[in-house]
């Protein structure tokens, strides 16, 4: 039986080096110390790549000279860039392309720099989420000359824990040794300018990330800049001292002038954003930065009293919605969704991790985009043009990860989930008794319809505050009259009829609140004939699948509903529980997307008698959906929580009602 190729053998394959060259070429950059630029290298490309492959495999490869460039920094200091030769950048990129998906799954969730599928915007959103959870004291920290002081031996020891390939380790050591020859300190430093340095930098700090996170401390790190967020000042001071010791143990130190403990009320800057109280302001350039000192925080807050801006990821084609990493926080634990949206991408498996791959440069080649351990996923959505390997689907079943297949309208066309177990048989029996008990079923269905209608009325009231349209006010009054009639309904069909009567007033009134030339008069689902109906259906599908996943997580049987009757292959429970959330999460977001020009007409097309949404439009909606769910809302117990936490709380309350513990109360929007 042939042994699988080693990591070193995979890296030195000619097609791997060709793919690495393509990335080096796309990144542009100048010549290294040998003076050979990209144009000159490409003239004799096949020969150069074969020569590189042979020297790597024969063990005769040696790094060429680097070109040193000192870049002035704003504080008067300089940053040294060590630019490798083009041929060395190709070899280092090949290593980085193979090791990144392998090592990224090991790294802490609090680390955001240089990682696939992560961005500055996501780090900023994480800071805002921790602030909303009550972490109002911050250690604003910086590691002094981090890239210049990483100890090589300790770094290689850490790499060896994850990579046992001796040839590969020796190759990385060769590149590290080349720094001393470039004028650095022998045995220390990562060359800024090397394609491999970002990955090695994150790997070296990963142990620090793991040890500082938790115990009342929330970490957000972007390279050598980091925040430690705590609930109290004394805890922040302790966290700073602990961080100083951890860094010292790793041969590093905090920058004495750039590290401080500061409350949100005073404000601080991080990753080009100004954070003060609940406000996040993106800074644009030094001129704006100078015009926006922290002393002006009160003026900013006075101008924007209700603003709390957070950023959703917008620079990656596939979106991973992760939780806030807060074990005592306000987001539903464990509801992490991977949206695979780019046509041609595939969910696959490497070792024990899920991966997303896309077509590579050669025929039949696949390039890995991201790798995610199954423990970090709860649901996957596959858009049109994407697929999953049979191995990946079996892996999802084995780890309890639901997989949803959706069409271009956002409708679910297939759902893969593990079989319902018997561990919650008592809860399932309680649901069944509730569904079969006529009076109890009608009463709970009445509660659900009441929640839906009250939230419809509240949304119209909010939308009409500025518009003052009589037709919208009349629709609200009509819904009020229907709410008063709900106690008269003798059975579920009567309740459904009352809900339909309210909808007849609600949908045209909602359409009157549209701006920017969009129009809508009535709800039509299959197929959606216009952009507004399409977006309403798309968002409804996202809500439905999120609630179904949370119901499964709570141990509820998906088939036992009260408003929607149980029938084969129909999760009636999810259909019941979406009712109270449609107005705030679906219809409210849909109008926001249209009225604020987040969606434009170029994203829609019409063919075969139906409206269709472009791939770019689907990504825009998903980004907005995740950002919408990250907003705080007031729960019934007076706590401010994020929307996904509230949905999870309501599902738990439904389970308590089914068990007979306490009556169910739907979420109600305030006027």
């Amino acid at each position: 039986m042939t042994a699988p190729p080693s990591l070193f053998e995979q890296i030195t394959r000619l097609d791997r080096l060709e793919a690495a060259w393509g990335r080096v070429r796309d990144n542009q950059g100048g010549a290294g110390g040998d003076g050979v630029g990209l144009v000159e290298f490409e003239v004799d490309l096949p020969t150069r790549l074969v020569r590189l492959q042979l020297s790597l495999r024969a063990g005769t490869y040696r790094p060429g000279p680097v070109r040193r460039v000192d870049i002035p920094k704003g504080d008067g200091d300089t940053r040294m860039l060590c630019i490798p030769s083009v041929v060395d950048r190709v070899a280092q990129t090949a290593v980085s392309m193979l090791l990144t998906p392998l090592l990224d799954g090991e790294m802490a969730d609090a680390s955001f720099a240089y990682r696939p599928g992560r961005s500055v915007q996501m780090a900023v959103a994480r800071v805002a989420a921790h602030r909303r959870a009550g972490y109002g004291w911050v250690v604003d920290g910086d590691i002094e000359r981090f890239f210049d002081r990483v100890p090589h031996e300790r770094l290689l020891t850490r790499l060896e824990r994850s990579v046992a390939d001796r040839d590969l380790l020796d190759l990385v050591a060769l590149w590290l040794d080349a720094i001393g020859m470039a004028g650095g300190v022998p045995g220390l430093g990562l060359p800024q300018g090397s394609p491999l340095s970002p990955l090695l930098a994150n790997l070296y700090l990963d142990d620090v990330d793991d040890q500082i996170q938790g115990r009342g401390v929330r970490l957000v790190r972007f390279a050598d800049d980091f925040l430690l967020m705590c609930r109290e000042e004394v805890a922040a001071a302790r966290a700073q001292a602990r961080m100083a010791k951890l860094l010292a143990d790793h041969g590093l130190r905090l920058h004495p002038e750039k590290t401080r403990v500061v409350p949100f009320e005073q404000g601080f800057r991080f990753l080009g954003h100004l954070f003060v109280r609940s406000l996040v302001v993106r800074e644009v350039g030094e001129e704006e930065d100078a015009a926006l000192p922290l002393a002006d925080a009160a003026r900013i807050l006075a101008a924007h009293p209700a603003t709390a801006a957070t950023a959703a990821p917008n620079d990656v084609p596939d979106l991973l919605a992760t939780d806030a990493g807060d074990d005592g926080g306000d987001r539903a634990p464990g509801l992490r969704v991977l949206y695979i949206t780019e046509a041609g991408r595939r969910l696959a498996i490497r070792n024990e991790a899920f991966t997303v791959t896309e077509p590579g440069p050669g025929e039949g080649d696949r390039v890995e985009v991201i790798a995610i351990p199954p423990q970090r996923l709860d649901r996957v959505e596959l858009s049109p043009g994407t697929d999953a390997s049979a191995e990946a689907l079996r892996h999802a079943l084995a780890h309890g990860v639901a997989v949803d297949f959706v069409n271009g309208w956002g409708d679910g066309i297939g759902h893969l989930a593990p079989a319902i177990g018997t561990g919650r048989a008592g809860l399932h029996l309680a649901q069944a008794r509730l569904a079969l008990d006529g009076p109890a079923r009608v009463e709970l269905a009445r509660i659900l319809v009441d929640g839906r209608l009250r939230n419809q009325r509240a949304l119209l009231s909010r939308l009409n505050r500025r518009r003052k349209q009589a037709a919208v006010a009349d629709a609200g009054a009509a819904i009020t009259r229907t709410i008063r009639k709900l106690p008269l309904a003798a059975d579920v069909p009567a309740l459904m009829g009352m809900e339909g009567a309210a909808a007849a007033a609600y949908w045209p009134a909602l359409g009157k609140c549209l701006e920017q030339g969009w129009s809508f008069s009535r709800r039509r689902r299959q197929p959606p004939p216009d952009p507004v109906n399409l977006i309403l259906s798309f968002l409804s599908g996202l809500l439905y699948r999120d609630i179904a996943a949370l119901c499964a997580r709570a141990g509820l049987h998906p088939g036992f509903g009260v408003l929607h009757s149980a029938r084969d292959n129909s999760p009636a429970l999810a259909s019941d529980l979406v009712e109270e959330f449609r107005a705030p999460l679906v219809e409210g977001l849909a109008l926001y997307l249209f009225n604020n020009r987040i969606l434009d007409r170029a994203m829609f097309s019409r063919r075969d008698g139906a409206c269709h949404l472009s791939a770019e439009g689907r990504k825009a909606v998903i980004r907005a959906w995740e950002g919408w769910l990250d907003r705080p809302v007031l729960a019934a117990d007076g706590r401010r929580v994020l929307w996904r936490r509230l949905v999870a709380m309501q599902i738990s309350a439904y389970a308590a009602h089914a068990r007979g513990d306490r009556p169910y109360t739907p979420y109600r929007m305030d006027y």
Side-chain angles (χ1 to χ4, degrees):
M1 186 174 181
T2 305
S6 68
L7 290 176
F8 185 79
E9 289 170 334
Q10 294 179 56
I11 288 165
T12 56
R13 281 173 21 200
L14 192 57
D15 60 341
R16 175 78 63 173
L17 296 175
E18 289 171 344
W21 154 251
R23 187 166 296 185
V24 170
R25 179 194 57 212
D26 293 344
N27 289 338
Q28 295 299 300
D34 61 359
V36 177
L38 293 171
V39 174
E40 184 179 354
F41 189 90
E42 191 169 19
V43 169
D44 198 18
L45 179 63
T47 301
R48 291 181 186 275
L49 293 182
V50 170
R51 189 182 303 144
L52 172 60
Q53 180 194 39
L54 293 175
S55 65
L56 286 167
R57 293 194 166 181
T60 59
Y61 166 84
R62 293 295 181 271
V66 301
R67 179 164 60 94
R68 174 172 171 162
V69 179
D70 291 322
I71 306 296
K73 296 169 62 177
D75 58 4
D77 203 350
T78 60
R79 174 185 291 112
M80 182 181 72
L81 294 184
C82 293
I83 302 174
S85 63
V86 174
V87 66
D88 291 340
R89 297 208 300 271
V90 170
Q92 292 172 17
T93 299
V95 173
S96 177
M97 290 171 66
L98 188 69
L99 287 188
T100 292
L102 179 67
L103 299 178
D104 190 74
E106 301 181 13
M107 294 182 187
D109 192 44
S111 170
F112 288 89
Y114 319 128
R115 296 181 62 185
R118 293 188 165 232
S119 65
V120 168
Q121 289 84 358
M122 295 175 73
V124 169
R126 181 67 57 86
V127 174
H130 288 331
R131 172 66 182 94
R132 292 192 298 269
Y135 291 83
W137 283 89
V138 174
V139 179
D140 180 8
D142 180 87
I143 304 173
E144 186 175 30
R145 302 194 73 90
F146 166 65
F147 283 92
D148 297 338
R149 293 177 174 172
V150 172
H152 293 172
E153 285 303 318
R154 291 182 182 179
L155 171 60
L156 290 169
T157 299
R158 172 63 187 89
L159 181 60
E160 193 170 7
R161 280 167 38 196
S162 301
V163 177
D165 190 316
R166 176 49 54 186
D167 291 332
L168 178 54
L169 291 168
D170 289 345
L171 180 59
V172 174
L174 276 178
W175 287 324
L176 294 177
D177 290 342
I179 300 173
M181 293 185 289
V185 178
L188 294 178
L190 286 172
Q192 296 191 71
S194 162
L196 192 56
S197 289
L199 176 64
L200 296 177
N202 273 335
L203 183 68
Y204 189 68
L205 288 176
D206 186 59
D207 286 344
V208 176
D209 295 343
D210 289 339
Q211 293 176 65
I212 195 66
Q213 173 83 355
R215 292 185 293 181
V217 178
R218 297 293 176 262
L219 168 70
V220 180
R221 182 175 64 79
F222 202 93
D224 52 347
D225 293 326
F226 65 87
L227 300 179
L228 302 176
M229 303 181 65
C230 303
R231 296 184 186 274
E232 298 175 354
E233 182 179 11
V234 64
R238 286 197 299 265
Q240 180 177 347
R242 177 165 171 74
M243 188 64 154
K245 183 180 184 306
L246 287 171
L247 291 174
D249 292 342
H250 286 73
L252 304 168
R253 58 175 265 175
L254 288 174
H255 197 297
E257 298 175 1
K258 296 182 180 180
T259 303
R260 60 184 182 139
V261 174
V262 59
F264 263 83
E265 283 71 15
Q266 179 179 334
F268 59 92
R269 290 182 172 87
F270 183 61
L271 304 181
H273 290 71
L274 170 66
F275 294 81
V276 55
R277 295 194 197 168
S278 62
L279 182 69
V280 183
V281 179
R282 185 183 179 199
E283 300 177 328
V284 185
E286 294 183 1
E287 184 174 353
E288 178 180 316
D289 184 40
L292 197 63
L294 292 177
D296 287 345
R299 173 179 57 78
I300 298 169
L301 286 167
H304 305 279
T307 301
T310 59
N314 60 5
D315 55 354
V316 290
D318 293 322
L319 305 175
L320 177 62
T322 61
D323 62 20
D326 183 359
D327 54 12
D330 56 0
R331 187 161 184 174
L335 187 60
R336 294 155 296 188
V337 186
L338 173 66
Y339 301 94
I340 304 180
T341 61
E342 290 289 301
R345 294 199 165 179
R346 177 184 302 155
L347 184 70
I349 295 296
R350 179 179 48 74
N351 298 330
E352 288 297 310
F354 287 105
T355 66
V356 178
T357 66
E358 64 183 8
E363 185 176 355
D365 284 353
R366 304 289 301 181
V367 176
E368 191 169 291
V369 178
I370 190 173
I372 309 164
Q375 297 81 6
R376 293 189 180 182
L377 269 186
D378 293 282
R379 193 165 74 79
V380 177
E381 283 214 4
L382 296 171
S383 293
T386 68
D387 66 356
S389 69
E391 183 184 17
L393 296 179
R394 286 193 293 268
H395 201 57
L397 288 173
H399 289 86
V401 178
V403 180
D404 289 292
F405 300 82
V406 300
N407 61 21
W409 297 319
D411 296 326
I413 57 175
H415 175 75
L416 178 73
I420 299 172
T422 58
R424 296 295 184 94
L427 178 57
H428 296 168
L429 285 172
Q431 288 181 254
R433 283 194 297 268
L434 180 60
L436 295 172
D437 184 333
R441 177 188 174 187
V442 170
E443 185 54 36
L444 182 53
R446 194 188 330 271
I447 291 171
L448 295 176
V449 173
D450 182 83
R452 167 65 168 156
L453 268 55
R454 289 181 185 274
N455 288 343
Q456 286 180 334
R457 183 180 62 181
L459 179 62
L460 291 179
S461 177
R462 287 185 182 184
L463 293 170
N464 205 35
R465 283 175 185 165
R466 172 174 55 83
R467 295 175 176 85
K468 307 292 186 186
Q469 296 189 57
V472 177
D474 290 344
I479 294 172
T480 298
R481 291 193 292 271
T482 303
I483 292 172
R484 291 174 182 160
K485 295 177 183 178
L486 290 179
L488 303 177
D491 52 27
V492 171
L495 287 168
M496 297 286 277
M498 291 181 179
E499 185 178 27
Y506 174 69
W507 292 118
L510 195 71
K512 292 184 180 299
C513 299
L514 282 163
E515 301 171 356
Q516 315 302 338
W518 299 101
S519 62
F520 167 80
S521 59
R522 67 189 181 99
R523 188 75 173 97
R524 295 171 62 187
R525 292 171 173 80
Q526 295 293 341
D530 56 73
V532 179
N533 269 297
L534 173 53
I535 295 304
L536 288 171
S537 292
F538 197 104
L539 292 171
S540 293
L542 291 172
L543 173 63
Y544 183 90
R545 290 186 290 275
D546 270 5
I547 285 182
L550 286 169
C551 286
R553 187 55 72 93
L556 288 159
H557 194 292
F560 296 134
V562 292
L563 182 61
H564 297 83
S565 299
R567 62 183 188 272
D568 292 346
N569 301 315
S570 174
L573 178 60
S575 298
D576 280 2
L577 289 174
V578 299
E579 292 294 333
E580 65 199 74
F581 296 110
R582 287 187 185 275
L585 296 183
V586 173
E587 289 117 36
L589 175 56
L591 261 70
Y592 176 84
L593 292 173
F594 286 111
N595 291 350
N596 289 275
R597 302 178 187 270
I598 295 170
L599 296 175
D600 59 52
R601 285 171 173 76
M603 295 177 176
F604 299 93
S605 61
R606 186 170 181 82
R607 60 182 183 274
D608 302 324
C611 187
H612 296 264
L613 184 64
S614 69
E616 195 59 38
R618 288 195 296 271
K619 288 186 284 187
V621 174
I622 292 171
R623 284 195 295 266
W625 171 254
E626 288 299 325
W628 204 253
L629 291 176
D630 262 343
R631 297 176 305 130
V633 63
L634 191 65
D637 60 6
R639 286 188 294 159
R640 290 191 69 79
V641 299
L642 300 189
W643 270 105
R644 265 209 179 101
R645 171 68 69 178
L646 179 66
V647 174
M649 290 167 61
Q650 289 298 106
I651 290 171
S652 296
Y654 186 95
H657 180 105
R659 289 191 299 262
D661 296 342
R662 59 183 181 273
Y664 182 74
T665 301
Y667 164 74
R668 291 179 181 174
M669 294 173 64
D670 292 331
Y671 280 89

